[in-house]
Amino acid sequence: MMHAQTRQRLGYMALLALSAATALILYPILHKPLVLLHRAEALTREGRTAEADALVIRAVFEGARRPDAVLRAAGRLLEDGRKDQAAELLRRALGDMPTIPAGLAGRMAGLLDSGGLPDEALALLLRTGPDRRNREERLHLADLLRRRARYAEAVAEYDALLRKAPRDSEAALRKVETLSWQGSLDAALPLARELVRSDPENRPARLLLARILNWSGHTAEAEAEYKRLLGEQP
């Protein structure tokens, strides 16, 4: 007759074997997105990128929220002209993220904008907290706002950048340009003059000054600025 301890040991071994077998069966089901991403990585190493991309897209729709996977999936969908699916994928992914990792919103917005979905890009950037936006995200957000004629909001983004970096010439130039588009020429003109005074070799700033002078009715001054740009006078 089998010893009691032996029977108990065999029982434990059977339970362990059953647990291992159950884990092998359940893991791919419970962790399907992760399994798909692992398979995609293997296919990528083999050079089978189209198949890998298809698996990454499936993984994200199944719940994978790894930023690199979300970006890859959205990028491939946009390349294939599947804009609606790309927008839906990003909506799902971002809806499941309590906070958007630094820089991720900008990269996603860039994909959406370049893929012909500027409204979705704008909505995404507006979801980020004002204190969490990096420089490139603020510049892109301001540009999207300008395209929608939301000039005051765009100027606010440039002002936020300039408070942190007063010598940010790109933000300063775009702010002056936005004010002029808004029709606030009285506010734009002295700022444009200051840009040129502080950096006389800044051709975009000098061209903007010439345009604002012309729009403001200062035609003689505007003509002089255009001549300087053309090298006709010092």
Side-chain angles (χ1 to χ4, degrees):
M1 182 178 292
M2 187 178 295
H3 193 277
Q5 287 184 334
T6 303
R7 287 200 304 272
Q8 188 178 39
R9 189 179 299 111
L10 290 174
Y12 285 148
M13 291 175 66
L15 282 173
L16 286 172
L18 180 61
S19 297
T22 303
L24 286 172
I25 295 169
L26 290 180
Y27 185 87
I29 297 171
L30 296 175
H31 302 278
K32 186 175 181 181
L34 189 58
V35 171
L36 290 170
L37 289 179
H38 285 325
R39 287 173 57 193
E41 288 167 0
L43 290 171
T44 299
R45 287 193 293 271
E46 295 171 14
R48 297 160 65 181
T49 53
E51 295 170 74
D53 287 343
L55 287 181
V56 172
I57 291 169
R58 278 183 58 196
V60 176
F61 273 115
E62 292 278 353
R65 295 298 176 259
R66 217 170 66 191
D68 63 315
V70 174
L71 285 166
R72 180 173 176 179
R76 185 52 188 260
L77 288 169
L78 288 168
E79 285 175 13
D80 292 346
R82 292 182 280 173
K83 294 182 181 180
D84 291 343
Q85 284 182 272
E88 174 62 22
L89 179 144
L90 288 177
R91 273 194 291 270
R92 286 195 197 183
L94 293 170
D96 291 345
M97 292 181 182
T99 58
I100 302 174
L104 180 60
R107 292 161 68 193
M108 288 183 174
L111 273 178
L112 288 168
D113 194 13
S114 63
L117 295 167
D119 290 337
E120 286 79 358
L122 176 58
L124 169 56
L125 287 174
L126 286 173
R127 270 193 56 193
T128 61
D131 57 333
R132 295 177 61 83
R133 293 174 194 144
N134 62 30
R135 178 180 181 274
E136 294 307 316
E137 287 170 346
R138 284 195 183 280
L139 286 174
H140 192 188
L141 173 56
D143 179 58
L144 290 164
L145 289 166
R146 294 197 314 173
R147 288 191 239 163
R148 294 294 172 273
R150 294 166 63 172
Y151 300 124
E153 293 170 84
V155 168
E157 291 299 320
Y158 295 131
D159 282 339
L161 282 169
L162 291 167
R163 280 194 295 273
K164 289 186 175 181
R167 296 191 178 185
D168 189 329
S169 58
E170 184 178 9
L173 181 68
R174 292 191 190 183
K175 174 186 174 179
V176 176
E177 188 177 50
T178 305
L179 287 169
S180 68
W181 290 358
Q182 189 180 26
S184 303
L185 298 177
D186 289 344
L189 182 54
L191 294 175
R193 290 187 191 279
E194 177 58 26
L195 283 176
V196 171
R197 188 202 63 77
S198 61
D199 185 5
E201 301 304 315
N202 187 332
R203 289 182 63 82
R206 194 171 286 282
L207 177 59
L208 180 58
L209 173 60
R211 287 173 175 166
I212 294 173
L213 285 166
N214 187 44
W215 296 334
S216 302
H218 301 282
T219 52
E221 230 184 315
E223 184 179 348
E225 286 299 332
Y226 283 125
K227 285 182 177 179
R228 288 190 186 94
L229 282 165
L230 294 171
E232 295 180 11
Q233 67 181 55

